[in-house]
Amino acid sequence: MSTGELSPAERYASYRQHREHPVLKDFQALHDFPLDDFQLRACREIEEGRGVLVAAPTGSGKTIVGEFAIHLALQTGRKAFYTTPIKALSNQKYHDLVARYGPDQVGLLTGDNTVNGEAPIVVMTTEVLRNMLYAGSRTLLGLGFVVMDEVHYLADRSRGAVWEEVIIHLPESVALVSLSATVSNAEEFGEWLATVRGETATILEERRPVPLYQHVMVGKRLLDLFADSDVDAAAGFVKEGAPVNGELMKVARDDWASSRMKDRRSPRDRRPGPKQVGNGRRVWIPSRYDVIDRLDREGLLPAIVFIFSRVGCDAAVTQCLNAGVRLTTPEERDTIYAYVEASCRHLPDEDLHVLGYHDFLDGLTRGVAAHHAGMLPAFKQCVEELFLRGLCKVVFATETLALGINMPARTVVIEKLSKWNGETHADITPGEYTQLTGRAGRRGLDTEGHGVVLWQPGMNPREVAGLASTRTYPLRSSFRPSYNMAVNLVHQFGRDRSRELLEQSFAQFQADKAVVGLARQLRKAEDALDGYRESATCHLGDFMEYAALRRRISDVEKDANRARKADRRDEALESLRALRPGDVIQVPTGKFAGYAVVVDPGWSEEGPRPYVVTADRQARRLAMIDFSAPVQSLGRIRIPKNFNGRNPQMRRDLASALRSRTHDLAPPPPGRRTPDRSALARSAADDEVAELRAQLKAHPCHDCPDREDHARWAERWFKLHRDAQTLKRRVEQRTNTVARQFDRVCEVLTALDYLDGETVTPRGRHLMRLYSDMDLLAAECIRQGLWDDLDPSGLAAVLSVLVFEARRPDDASSPRLPGGQVRDTIGAMVRLWGDLDRLEKDHKLDFLRQPDLGFAWIAYRWSEGDELDDVLGASELAAGDFVRWMKQLLDLAGQVADAAGDSPLRQTARDVVRRVRRGVVAYSGLAADD
């Protein structure tokens, strides 16, 4: 409708909008598409001087709001910072803004890169801004706006506190623009932002710009997940309880019937192959090639296939290439080849083979690639850019790709609905499902997006529907005050003011709101307790006294049983403490029950975790649950000095020796008898129960004809009383929780002479420059001079134990370490950590993890100048992991140089940076490096 066709009221509204929001009008003219209503509402709020929280689905265009804040800053002569949670996203946003405003107007600060840091627009990771605030950086002068992209990261367990620190400590004059994924408690988060930042508008958008349809792929068939009539694809979610596609439910029933038939067959009839289901059809689990072929034929590429395994992603690419997949035209292949060659020209020729460059290039030219944290950053950058251009058609990715990187697809495929979370295989959450499938549907390119789940045996379509119909997930604060945070706060504000600031955190805001509900529950419970007590009234005497005797009898008997079990556990513990490498034992229970040889007793303060090799060639670290009874050495076997449990041949050889050694062994005798003290304890318990039963029979209420009726009310009273006491403790624990933890942190710092009342001591000033999660241990190492006499390679090795964390914490092979002074220093650091750990436990804290020695040899050899092939060949690290840990080591070395003051250690730390930053580590360009 033209302006002449508008009604007078509409013409006036249009005139007023342009008159009242002139910068927004100019900003709109920069785009060749109209802005959505939620984008316009948010931009108007910003131009009127308010902060905003925008919560909207993935791909809905939230960043437009952040870009408007940048535009407004430039128009009004102020600076704007654009913060992101990961370096890859910072690099990507930097390129976008340079393309719009030019390189002179845009800077980048990520720790790896410092580009034009005093520009009016600076893109940075959130940690960089936090460090600026604590350091009082001059770069903050003239700052008008801070855009916090992916602000829901404040729920991240390890890094989330940084977001809250920034939000609390930004000057009041700075307007905050917070961009979040859709969360169910956005209003609560917005209310907190208004509390700590002043006027803040919360803008919610639930509808997707591109409709999303959900499917399940069964064999080569693509079935809708929901009945058509119940789909609101534009919302990106479906109402809970919406009916599932009947054909899909029939597949599930057939699959269930097939499994029942299979269970009834004899073992010889259970042949591998496709499943024969009840009605004679065969249901296949689709192969990766089948998936890609079907999507290609349906016009559903480009696609991201989420596989929750790095090895699985690489294997998927190999499988597709072996199957002859070729998704690109000759012209596209030439373009891809030229781009990858140009992007990777910095890589030394001698490193290309060990990096798998030629296989990587072959896959990309055919339109297929992997994307995961184990890849070289330069490779990931190539994949991201070529996928955005539509040249890479299929990416097999781990879930880390879903964390903010701009890689929308037409289709998202999820192979399995469970993943390894570091401890066990767990089902993905509705929030994770939403985050993953949210990438489907490219705005401006696709009319609709598609989410596909691959069929798995035993799948319940209703459970899949539950994931797809739960549209949001709550944002929960993970904030807690750290040692570094404490010294910086006390230095700037003193302890009392710091305490007040921390009580403004979102964590305390949520705790206080929860206390309101808990207190209401407590009042209701106390009212109900009075009613239960009245109902238990007996005319013969005090029935609550009588009921207490009955409960005491039950408690004494339960305690005696628990004590017997504890004695048995203590015996098992003592037997495990006596184990030595080479001992042959019989594991009494569990999955690995039977004969085994001890490789490593695995004894620590947390308890025994013996690492064993079993007779069937399994190498596993066991837990106390596997030892229901004590064990004893039945003999000994020599363990090779260089034994590696991951080496199949070594496992076979050791298992063979074990079988030979145990061939003639009779089953070991039963565990030792319970010691006399257990018998004495049982006798004492029996005596007490006899005395209590005598008191019970003598009580006047014992003969009441309504005794059991009264007893039921009394039992309800005792149960509710226990629940009420739990509620009461929860209320007490949640009140001032953050401030109380801050007090405990300050007590530890005072004990170490880092704080003296309201003052940060000279010792504490070292800690102010250390932002690692091992900040206190690093500061103590500097204070005690543990690193003073190390050369640069030795310092690189010892710093690595503070940054590295093995992906497999149960790896039993002893890590290789440099010798001499480096080994001694690492040993001293581990002992120092033990001292600090005990100090933390005394103050009910648990910040510092045990140093991980698994990267020390690699860091040492790389600093010494070894070639990449030699370094990676001596480890099981992927190239991307190697680069990422080296970048974190560089970051810590820079912090140590800052914290060391005017001492030789400062120069040594700078020499570490100079030596380590070479080859693939030196090159970052603006590559992804999360």
Side-chain angles (χ1 to χ4, degrees), residues 310 374 804 807 854-855 858 871-883 885:
R310 298 177 180 188
F804 180 71
R807 296 185 70 225
F855 198 65
I858 298 166
V871 171
L872 291 184
S875 74
E876 296 189 355
L877 279 179
D881 289 329
F882 167 76
V883 171
W885 292 122

Side-chain angles (χ1 to χ4, degrees), residues 681-877:
R682 281 207 308 277
S683 176
D686 292 343
D687 291 345
E688 185 177 359
V689 168
E691 173 61 26
L692 288 169
R693 289 191 184 280
Q695 293 179 33
L696 195 71
K697 289 182 179 179
H699 198 282
C701 292
H702 189 66
D703 296 323
C704 177
D706 298 321
R707 183 183 68 190
E708 293 309 310
D709 186 48
H710 296 330
R712 281 192 290 272
W713 286 108
E715 278 301 308
R716 291 175 188 173
W717 186 93
F718 281 115
K719 183 178 183 304
L720 185 58
H721 181 262
R722 185 180 64 240
D723 294 344
Q725 291 303 306
T726 301
L727 279 173
K728 195 172 184 178
R729 284 194 298 273
R730 288 174 64 190
V731 169
E732 291 169 352
Q733 289 166 359
R734 292 190 179 215
T735 305
N736 301 319
T737 48
V738 176
R740 282 207 309 275
Q741 190 169 42
F742 174 70
D743 289 339
R744 290 196 287 268
V745 167
C746 289
E747 287 165 9
V748 168
L749 294 172
T750 300
L752 294 170
D753 195 26
Y754 284 75
L755 289 180
D756 181 7
E758 295 286 311
T759 306
V760 177
T761 66
R763 286 185 181 181
R765 291 180 179 271
H766 294 303
L767 181 56
M768 288 172 60
R769 309 306 297 269
L770 297 167
Y771 299 101
S772 159
D773 61 346
M774 300 287 274
D775 49 8
L776 187 60
L777 180 53
E780 279 291 279
C781 289
I782 294 174
R783 181 178 74 81
Q784 296 187 18
L786 293 186
W787 301 337
D788 288 354
D789 299 326
L790 293 170
D791 63 15
S793 296
L795 183 58
V798 302
L799 291 182
S800 77
V801 309
L802 301 182
V803 298
F804 180 71
E805 291 184 76
R807 296 185 70 225
R808 301 180 183 88
D810 283 342
D811 185 4
S813 56
S814 298
R816 188 176 182 184
L817 294 175
Q821 188 179 13
V822 177
R823 180 185 290 268
D824 293 342
T825 302
I826 290 175
M829 290 171 65
V830 173
R831 290 191 293 274
L832 177 56
W833 165 79
D835 295 338
L836 294 175
D837 185 58
R838 284 187 288 275
L839 181 62
E840 281 196 325
K841 283 182 169 59
D842 289 343
H843 290 85
K844 299 179 180 178
L845 295 173
D846 62 342
F847 288 115
L848 301 174
R849 57 174 174 80
Q850 185 171 353
D852 193 318
L853 283 51
F855 198 65
W857 174 258
I858 298 166
Y860 183 84
R861 295 313 316 168
W862 182 255
S863 181
E864 285 287 284
D866 283 14
E867 296 296 326
L868 181 66
D869 195 2
D870 295 331
V871 171
L872 291 184
S875 74
E876 296 189 355
L877 279 179

Side-chain angles (χ1 to χ4, degrees), residues 87-88 91 95 112-113 377-378 381 384 923-930:
K87 295 171 185 174
N91 297 336
H95 285 302
D112 292 342
N113 295 293
Q381 185 185 26
E384 291 161 14
Y923 177 79
S924 61
L926 295 175
D929 183 30
D930 48 304

Side-chain angles (χ1 to χ4, degrees), residues 204-223:
L204 303 180
E205 175 60 37
E206 294 185 334
R207 300 188 72 79
R208 291 169 48 89
V210 180
L212 175 65
Y213 293 92
Q214 309 275 356
H215 314 277
V216 176
M217 191 167 181
V218 183
K220 296 184 179 181
R221 296 187 300 155
L222 203 58
L223 302 178

